Amino acid sequence: MIQRIGYQRELDDSTRIINAFRRRRFRKHGQFAEDEIILPNGPFVNQRFRLSTQPFARILYDEIDSGMYSEIIVTGPSQTGKTLIAWVIPLLHMLFEKCETCIAAVPDYDMVMDKWEQDIEPVLRLTRYWRYMPAMGRGSKGGRTAKITFKHGPELRWMTAGGGDKARAAYTARSVFMTETDGFDTQASTSTETSKIGQIEARQRAWKRHQRFTIKEGTLTTKTAHTWSRYCAGTCSVLHLPCPHCGEFGPLNRKDLHGWQSATTDAEAEERSLFHCGACGESWTETERADANQRAVLVHKGQSVVKGK
């Protein structure tokens, strides 16, 4: 009996050692989002996040999970959910699915409180991960603090374009999640180094380039600002939608929206406006536009769509 107990203990120890070396399988971003995220506000408040609600999310998450990119630039119109989809959810995936420390970067320190209270906390509070918030001490109330250490280990470190260069030089993390990216382009006169974005990205140098992960999200300001410059220097990817009339794939741009030009009020412009296919010129109903978005494909620089692929 004593020998049997000792033998069982050896088996238990061996199992623990094997499990420690076994590589954990992480959920992909899309599965994580649909499993864990409940929308805290907006027209779908208190409903579970669904990739089908904003179809570009599925395409974006597939690209992130492909592992081909160490830097991802996301931009688009305001009020499309891109901050939630391209910044908050990937940030929470890194903190609570992969359990890794990461850097959240915003242009100025005043924005730290806003981004926490308006974007991160409302989403996090509705997940099972809220129990990992520190109960006391620095970061226990979130908001305007340089660092939050969660109970399960990872840290969320805030960095901004403000302050001295030393504020960005004393921390290391593999992942950086940057929002309102073009706001970093205004450099402080105290900086003697490269751009503020470059200083924050330098916190990743302990890892090889292919091991680093950076997301930069924001609305475009100018063509010379960081977001557009980096976007054009990369894959320059654009969503192409199939026309319900001719079947041709192409992007929907501002020039394809007709009907608003003669309107005298915003309500009248909304009522009259319809997108038109850039190939055949036919107008799309809202139902056709929504269906086309579900079948969108991502086209990188130098690519074209052939037979829907």
Side-chain angles (χ1 to χ4, degrees), residues 63 68-75 214 216 223 225-238 298-303:
E63 293 299 304
M68 292 192 295
Y69 312 104
S70 60
E71 179 182 14
I72 293 178
I73 310 292
V74 182
T75 188
T214 303
K216 298 171 182 175
K223 289 186 176 181
H226 185 88
T227 301
W228 187 250
S229 299
R230 294 298 297 156
Y231 169 79
C232 292
T235 60
C236 210
S237 308
V238 179
L298 193 65
V299 180
H300 303 307
K301 184 164 51 182
Q303 292 183 335

Side-chain angles (χ1 to χ4, degrees), residues 257-273:
L257 185 65
H258 301 282
W260 58 269
Q261 291 86 345
S262 59
T264 57
T265 66
D266 289 347
E268 188 180 355
E270 182 178 356
E271 184 179 346
R272 290 185 180 184
S273 297

Side-chain angles (χ1 to χ4, degrees), residues 4 11 19 27 32 56 121 131 158 167 176-177 191 243 289 294 298:
R4 180 63 182 173
L11 283 179
N19 288 338
R27 285 174 294 176
F32 171 84
F56 82 83
E121 182 185 16
R131 67 182 187 271
W158 291 97
V176 172
F177 297 83
S191 177
C243 175
R289 187 186 66 85
Q294 298 292 344
L298 193 65

